[in-house]
């Protein structure tokens, strides 16, 4: 039977330079990491999974983490080429890379662009150094703005800017000011994620031991509602609960996940969503 299945692909790159206190993802500190060996494994896995799931076309690829921007551009290129060698990858397919400002300078972003990356998701997370330090980030607000400027040059019109709200001590007024600043510099897309307390993280331990006090639900709800109003006022529409974009600049991968499209997960912390027929082929 001819393969007709269309899927999105998520590739998990698990290495991080530092471990953020709120993160409960599958991640490993980037000390002595063998990037070539991981790339070899991901190439083999993506080729195998696309064949076993009966995939005909990949509509988008998303490199998430971890911190994929720690990987050399050659790794991204090999994985993209493995997809293209296995199935149909349209020439206009969206290929997104998550990046941290500390590992995303102009020259490195150019290398990613030349390797086939078409969209960047930049983890700014906060616009003041005090909160960035508390969040465990390894960049400053100034470095974030410099990286954002470079990203907008290299990936013009196709840059996602990520922020975290609901942070300890964050008032509605301070959030309004920070979000206003973000809206004045962001590209065509903004992702706003509520800080959540997850078991197994150092943040969880601090909260249950009363060393850290999280904002109450009413405050967080007010921050979110304010964000919906402010983004709408500048032409960013909410197309998914955490994602806001100008018309035509939505993330294809986010839409695929949100709309229930099948996707194939590759890497140590990835999972897939396939229908019954797809799963039977993988048994």
């Amino acid at each position: 039977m001819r393969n007709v299945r269309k899927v999105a692909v998520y590739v998990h790159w698990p290495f991080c330079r530092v471990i953020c206190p709120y993160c409960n993802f599958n991640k490993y500190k980037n000390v002595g990491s063998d990037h070539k060996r991981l790339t070899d494994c991901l190439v083999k896995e993506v080729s195998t999974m696309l064949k076993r799931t009966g995939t005909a076309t990949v509509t988008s690829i998303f490199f998430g983490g971890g911190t994929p921007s720690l990987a050399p551009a050659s790794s991204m290129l090999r994985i993209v080429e493995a997809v293209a060698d296995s199935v149909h990858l349209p020439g206009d397919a969206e290929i997104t890379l998550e990046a941290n400002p500390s590992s995303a300078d102009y020259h490195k972003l150019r290398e990613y662009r030349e390797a086939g990356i078409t969209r960047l998701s930049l983890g700014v997370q906060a616009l003041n150094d005090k909160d960035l330090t508390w969040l465990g980030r390894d960049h400053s607000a100034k470095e974030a703005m410099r990286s954002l400027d470079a990203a907008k040059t290299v990936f013009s019109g196709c840059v996602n800017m990520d922020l975290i709200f609901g942070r300890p001590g964050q008032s509605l007024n301070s959030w309004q000011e920070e979000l206003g600043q973000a809206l004045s510099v962001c590209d065509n897309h903004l992702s706003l994620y509520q800080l959540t307390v997850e078991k197994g993280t150092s943040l969880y331990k601090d909260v249950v031991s009363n060393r850290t006090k999280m904002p109450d639900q009413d405050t967080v709800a007010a921050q979110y509602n304010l964000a919906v109003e402010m983004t709408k006022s500048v032409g960013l529409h909410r197309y998914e609960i955490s994602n806001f974009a100008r018309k035509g600049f939505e993330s294809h991968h986010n839409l695929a996940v949100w709309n229930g499209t099948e996707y194939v997960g590759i890497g140590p912390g990835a999972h897939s969503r396939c229908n019954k027929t797809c799963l039977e082929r993988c048994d």
Side-chain angles (χ1 to χ4, degrees):
M1 180 181 295
R2 182 171 63 92
N3 292 342
V4 296
R5 173 168 284 108
K6 294 182 178 181
V7 305
V9 169
Y10 177 87
V11 182
H12 179 230
W13 191 271
F15 301 132
C16 290
R17 185 172 292 163
V18 297
I19 304 300
C20 299
Y22 55 86
C23 180
N24 72 331
F25 293 168
N26 182 340
K27 73 281 183 185
Y28 307 91
K29 203 158 186 181
N30 190 44
V31 178
S33 304
D34 191 336
H35 288 205
K36 183 182 181 303
R37 184 180 181 188
L38 177 61
T39 303
D40 291 342
C41 292
L42 293 174
V43 166
K44 183 174 182 179
E45 185 180 3
V46 73
S47 302
T48 301
M49 286 295 292
L50 291 175
K51 180 179 179 180
R52 295 192 67 184
T53 54
T55 295
T57 300
V58 165
T59 56
S60 64
I61 303 173
F62 192 101
F63 290 93
T67 309
S69 56
L70 290 175
S74 58
S75 292
M76 308 296 113
L77 177 61
R78 285 189 60 201
I79 295 165
V80 171
E81 288 180 336
V83 172
D85 289 343
S86 301
V87 298
H88 176 54
L89 181 66
D92 61 351
E94 178 189 273
I95 305 176
T96 305
L97 178 83
E98 282 187 344
N100 281 354
S102 59
S103 53
D105 61 31
Y106 174 80
H107 296 291
K108 193 167 188 181
L109 294 180
R110 286 293 307 173
E111 291 177 352
Y112 286 130
R113 181 81 191 197
E114 292 167 3
I117 303 300
T118 65
R119 188 181 183 104
L120 195 79
S121 182
L122 189 64
V124 174
Q125 314 308 8
L127 294 176
N128 70 79
D129 290 343
K130 179 181 178 182
D131 282 7
L132 284 169
T133 298
W134 184 88
L135 288 167
R137 308 300 293 179
D138 64 348
H139 64 270
S140 67
K142 184 177 181 179
E143 288 170 329
M145 291 301 97
R146 185 163 55 242
S147 182
L148 179 63
D149 286 342
K152 289 192 294 184
T153 298
V154 177
F155 299 97
S156 180
C158 298
V159 179
N160 307 351
M161 178 180 179
D162 295 358
L163 287 180
I164 293 175
F165 68 98
R167 309 191 296 260
Q170 186 180 43
S171 67
L172 188 60
N173 287 338
S174 65
W175 172 234
Q176 182 176 19
E177 181 179 350
E178 183 175 20
L179 184 55
Q181 182 183 354
L183 291 172
S184 72
V185 297
C186 74
D187 198 8
N188 292 313
H189 192 287
L190 189 64
S191 296
L192 304 175
Y193 299 108
Q194 179 188 343
L195 179 63
T196 56
V197 181
E198 305 291 345
K199 287 186 176 180
T201 64
S202 59
L203 174 59
Y204 176 83
K205 296 176 182 177
D206 287 344
V207 170
V208 298
S209 64
N210 294 317
R211 289 193 296 267
T212 296
K213 181 176 175 58
M214 298 294 292
D216 60 62
Q217 292 183 0
D218 288 343
T219 298
V220 174
Q223 290 176 350
Y224 180 77
N225 290 334
L226 176 65
V228 173
E229 294 174 3
M230 290 180 65
T231 51
K232 184 178 181 180
S233 71
V234 297
L236 300 180
H237 76 102
R238 179 178 54 173
Y239 71 93
E240 186 254 29
I241 194 166
S242 299
N243 288 286
F244 306 79
R246 291 186 174 86
K247 291 289 186 180
F249 292 94
E250 300 88 350
S251 163
H252 296 174
H253 188 84
N254 287 348
L255 282 172
V257 175
W258 185 251
N259 292 330
T261 301
E262 292 178 301
Y263 58 85
V264 172
I266 305 299
H271 67 273
S272 302
R273 178 170 65 200
C274 298
N275 64 27
K276 183 178 179 182
T277 304
C278 173
L279 293 173
E280 288 173 347
R281 292 187 64 129
C282 290
D283 285 344

